[in-house]
Amino acid sequence: MTRIVFLDAGSMGDTDLSPLHLPGCQLKCFDSTPAEQIIPRLASADIAIVNKVQLRSDVLNALPQLKLICVAATGVNNIDLSAAAASGITVCNVRGYADTAVPQHAMALLLGLANQISNYQHTLARGEWSRSPHFCLHSHRLTELAGKNFVLIGYGALGQATARLATAFGMQVIISEHAGQPHCRPGRVSFEQALRQADVLSLHCPLTAATHQLLNRQRLALLPDGAIIINTARGDLIDEPALLAELKTGRLAAALDVLSNEPPATSHILLQQPLPNLLLTPHIGWASPAARARMTAQLSENITAFLAGKPLRQL
């Protein structure tokens, strides 16, 4: 009997996990798993499924029976891939399951800021429209997207799908080359040049050692006044204190679906006070029911393929 343990199944919400009940396998799901419970819960597991639980070298070295890690995400920055390889553990992720959901959310965040949806909602709740002498209320400045430069950092499937949506709004898509590259691939512009041209900057790159705090104080300063930052990738791509400093001046705006720590403490600097130029959502861009169903199907495929000796989506 192959033992499968899902350490943070609660992250899947109300998703039907029945596709993970496979013949010859025993599935055990935990809603969430604190760090001190990872090793005990995986001690007899052959296969681990994790979304954001961190599996570092000390953990993996203590799990000689573990054969496969299925990551319920595309990004695998929570897995020590080198340690897994050294221990002979196969790692597979899921891909393409949110290629419609994440781009839709990126554009929802952009439209929320451009059309001041949240700010107008608060204005109406205060009764300002009811007190207006006119049929409309001009208390927040709107931004028309047509003709604006939409810069993408990361041009995989998610970046490409988001670019198509931006194009549909009449925006000019600019694809950034990787930071620090001396030469640009055809159809791309240098990282610094892309920042300087960005009316909207949308992040779709993975979090790696090279991209950690990719947008630091110096690079944020390159963005033109009024630029909007959209982040549906990973929170640690941005130096959050540096971003907050820019937001407080009103020079930039940001719409973020991710933060550096998730769930964030109530003391997180971006949660301390409402800012009219900051829009936050709780890492839900990937989480439409349809996307979660596609993810679950891929997890099932990954396990089935591994047990058949033909791993899919292996890293």
Side-chain angles (χ1 to χ4, degrees), residues 74-77 153-156 178 203-212 214 233-234 237:
T74 302
V76 293
N77 53 287
I153 297 180
Y155 198 59
H178 294 160
L203 302 180
H204 299 279
C205 56
L207 176 62
T208 65
T211 61
H212 182 262
L214 182 67
R234 289 292 185 268
L237 295 173

Side-chain angles (χ1 to χ4, degrees), residues 213-243:
Q213 295 198 349
L214 182 67
L215 293 184
N216 56 23
R217 180 176 59 82
Q218 293 82 3
R219 288 166 172 167
L220 288 170
L222 298 178
L223 292 168
D225 291 353
I228 297 173
I229 300 167
I230 308 295
N231 190 6
T232 54
R234 289 292 185 268
D236 274 323
L237 295 173
I238 300 176
D239 179 339
E240 290 172 338
L243 175 63

Side-chain angles (χ1 to χ4, degrees), residues 31-217:
D31 185 72
S32 61
T33 298
E36 65 273 13
Q37 288 296 315
I38 295 174
I39 292 175
R41 290 179 177 180
L42 292 181
S44 61
D46 303 294
I47 298 172
I49 305 175
V50 299
N51 192 326
K52 295 296 180 288
V53 171
Q54 296 196 3
L55 298 181
R56 300 306 183 193
S57 59
D58 57 331
V59 171
L60 296 178
N61 292 337
L63 299 170
Q65 185 167 319
L66 193 63
K67 302 178 182 67
L68 172 67
I69 299 169
C70 280
V71 183
T74 302
V76 293
N77 53 287
N78 56 318
I79 310 297
D80 189 326
L81 296 178
S82 297
S87 297
I89 302 171
T90 300
V91 180
C92 300
N93 67 349
V94 290
R95 306 171 191 179
Y97 72 94
D99 285 359
T100 50
V102 171
Q104 175 180 313
H105 195 69
M107 295 307 293
L109 289 172
L110 174 57
L111 291 168
L113 278 182
N115 282 51
Q116 300 286 331
I117 302 299
S118 179
N119 289 329
Y120 268 115
Q121 191 67 38
H122 292 310
T123 297
L124 267 63
R126 293 192 298 267
E128 293 185 27
W129 189 18
S130 300
R131 294 191 296 270
S132 172
H134 305 291
F135 73 95
C136 58
L137 197 64
H138 297 293
S139 54
H140 302 288
R141 187 177 183 85
L142 306 181
T143 299
E144 193 167 290
L145 298 179
K148 301 290 187 184
N149 288 337
F150 187 89
V151 171
L152 291 144
I153 297 180
Y155 198 59
L158 294 176
Q160 292 172 36
T162 306
R164 290 192 290 271
L165 296 180
T167 300
F169 279 94
M171 305 186 77
Q172 305 299 316
V173 171
I174 297 172
I175 308 166
S176 170
E177 185 53 86
H178 294 160
Q181 293 298 311
H183 304 291
C184 292
R185 286 167 285 177
R188 305 195 180 210
V189 302
S190 72
F191 182 73
E192 288 75 13
Q193 182 183 355
L195 294 183
R196 292 188 175 96
Q197 295 179 353
D199 296 308
V200 177
L201 181 68
S202 194
L203 302 180
H204 299 279
C205 56
L207 176 62
T208 65
T211 61
H212 182 262
Q213 295 198 349
L214 182 67
L215 293 184
N216 56 23
R217 180 176 59 82

Side-chain angles (χ1 to χ4, degrees), residues 229-271:
I229 300 167
I230 308 295
N231 190 6
T232 54
R234 289 292 185 268
D236 274 323
L237 295 173
I238 300 176
D239 179 339
E240 290 172 338
L243 175 63
L244 180 59
E246 290 281 7
L247 294 175
K248 284 183 173 180
T249 69
R251 198 180 75 82
L252 302 177
L256 313 174
D257 187 45
V258 288
L259 294 176
S260 57
N261 293 302
E262 296 174 347
T266 55
S267 59
H268 191 287
I269 60 172
L270 294 179
L271 299 178

